[in-house]
Structure formats: structure tokens, C-alpha cells
Amino acid sequence: MSSSVKIAVCPGSYDPVTNGHLDIIRRAAKIFDKLVVGVVGNAPRKAGHLFTPEERVGLIEEALQQNGVSNVEVQIFRTLLVEFARDCGATAIVKGLRAISDFEYEFEMNQLNRQLADDIESVFILASPGYSFIRSSGVKEIAAFGGDVSELVPPHVASALSERAQRD
Ligand code: PNS
């Protein structure tokens, strides 16, 4: 692949992917030639994760197929983010910002990542107004109590959450 091809990674836990994530992914995919969604790998259930990394990848891939986004692929990574970005040939890390409360954390992550690799730029996309309140943890909590998450996640993710809530 030629070096003029602009590749970015869009990392996260995606436990599970929400409509807010998909908004950022779709918009980032229009800016870059190729976008690699990086799902941070972890031991199942570690750090309170509901879905395994493989399950999270499957949920994202199904959502992308439904949206007809073609220049996006999804990978699990178990390294530093900047190493993952390098492995992908990416020159940018894309993050979504929902509110001021996200800024402090993302500012710190940006400084750390720049310390590790100052040739990889972090690019921040502001959440669309309708998605600025959606976070995976909130979605999981609503679903665990049997609440309606149909406006917050794609239908297949809502089904996976409901199935998981009934199982646990
Ligand atoms: O969706 P999240 O949980 O906010 O995503 C966090 C993520 C995966 C982007 C972050 O934890 C990460 O980059 N992990 C990889 C390890 C790393 O490189 N950390 C940053 C430098 S200390």
C-alpha cells in the first residue's frame, strides 16, 4: 500500500458498540482512506467487560455491514495503542469526544501517546448532538435492568445485551 494512503485507527473497548461509536466511525471513515477499528483485547470479563473481544468485534462488523461502510476493518489489539497504530500503518488515532468530561482523560492519553510516538497524531471528532450522552456503561446498565436500549444501539446489539442479561 502506498504511503500516500491515509490510515487511522479508532480504538476503544466497544463493550458493546453504540450508535455514538458508529457515528464517529462513519464520520472518520469519510476523512481517511482506511480506518481500522481497534478493539482492546482483554481476558473475558476482566475490568467488567460484558462481551469478549471476539464478540465485540462481531457486533461491530455486523453493524458496519448494515451501514455499507467499506473502508473500515476491525481488529483486536493487545499492545500499546501506538504500536497497534504503527502495525496498521496508521498515522492518526481517532477518538470521539462527547463532552468536556471526556476532554481531561483524552488530553492525558494524547500526551502519553505523543510521548511514546510523536509522529502519530490524535484527531478528535465531536459527537453529534443526538449521541453526546451515549456511553457503553450506561447502555449496559439500562439493559441489565430490562430497559429499552433500542435508540442507543443497533438492533442486533440490543438483542445481544438482552440475551446476556437473561443469561446472567
Ligand atoms: O473505550 P475506552 O475504554 O475509552 O478505550 C480506551 C483505550 C482502549 C483507547 C485505551 O485504554 C488504550 O489505548 N489502551 C491501550 C494501551 C495504551 O496504549 N494506553 C495508552 C498509553 S498509557
Side-chain angles (χ1 to χ4, degrees), residues 11-14 21 38 40 49 77 79-82 95 105-106 109 112-113 116:
S13 301
Y14 300 103
H21 290 132
V40 71
H49 286 121
F77 73 102
T79 60
L80 280 172
L81 175 55
V82 291
K95 295 287 202 80
Y105 171 75
E106 294 298 349
M109 293 299 260
L112 289 170
N113 286 328
L116 294 167

Side-chain angles (χ1 to χ4, degrees), residues 49-94:
H49 286 121
L50 189 59
F51 297 99
T52 66
E54 291 75 15
E55 287 169 334
R56 287 181 262 148
V57 168
L59 293 172
I60 299 168
E61 285 180 339
E62 194 170 336
L64 293 175
Q65 276 162 20
Q66 288 164 7
N67 281 272
V69 187
S70 60
N71 62 332
V72 181
E73 63 181 55
V74 191
Q75 291 183 26
I76 295 169
F77 73 102
R78 294 186 166 86
T79 60
L80 280 172
L81 175 55
V82 291
E83 286 174 18
F84 173 63
R86 284 228 169 87
D87 291 346
C88 294
T91 51
I93 294 166
V94 175

Side-chain angles (χ1 to χ4, degrees), residues 2-144:
S2 123
S3 60
S4 63
V5 174
K6 292 288 176 207
I7 303 172
V9 294
C10 190
S13 301
Y14 300 103
D15 185 50
V17 69
T18 67
N19 289 341
H21 290 132
L22 293 166
D23 174 52
I24 299 295
I25 291 168
R26 274 193 297 265
R27 289 162 62 199
K30 288 186 193 157
I31 300 172
F32 294 93
D33 298 312
K34 178 178 162 187
L35 186 73
V36 184
V37 174
V39 175
V40 71
N42 60 292
R45 299 308 175 98
K46 198 180 163 196
H49 286 121
L50 189 59
F51 297 99
T52 66
E54 291 75 15
E55 287 169 334
R56 287 181 262 148
V57 168
L59 293 172
I60 299 168
E61 285 180 339
E62 194 170 336
L64 293 175
Q65 276 162 20
Q66 288 164 7
N67 281 272
V69 187
S70 60
N71 62 332
V72 181
E73 63 181 55
V74 191
Q75 291 183 26
I76 295 169
F77 73 102
R78 294 186 166 86
T79 60
L80 280 172
L81 175 55
V82 291
E83 286 174 18
F84 173 63
R86 284 228 169 87
D87 291 346
C88 294
T91 51
I93 294 166
V94 175
K95 295 287 202 80
L97 280 184
R98 285 163 300 201
I100 291 287
S101 51
D102 283 342
F103 177 80
E104 205 171 333
Y105 171 75
E106 294 298 349
F107 185 75
E108 189 181 317
M109 293 299 260
N110 172 60
Q111 309 299 56
L112 289 170
N113 286 328
R114 277 191 71 83
Q115 182 75 30
L116 294 167
D118 65 4
D119 54 327
I120 299 178
E121 282 295 343
S122 290
V123 176
F124 297 92
I125 297 182
L126 297 183
S128 298
Y131 300 124
S132 60
F133 60 94
I134 305 177
R135 64 175 67 240
S136 297
S137 55
V139 168
K140 281 186 281 192
E141 191 159 330
I142 294 169

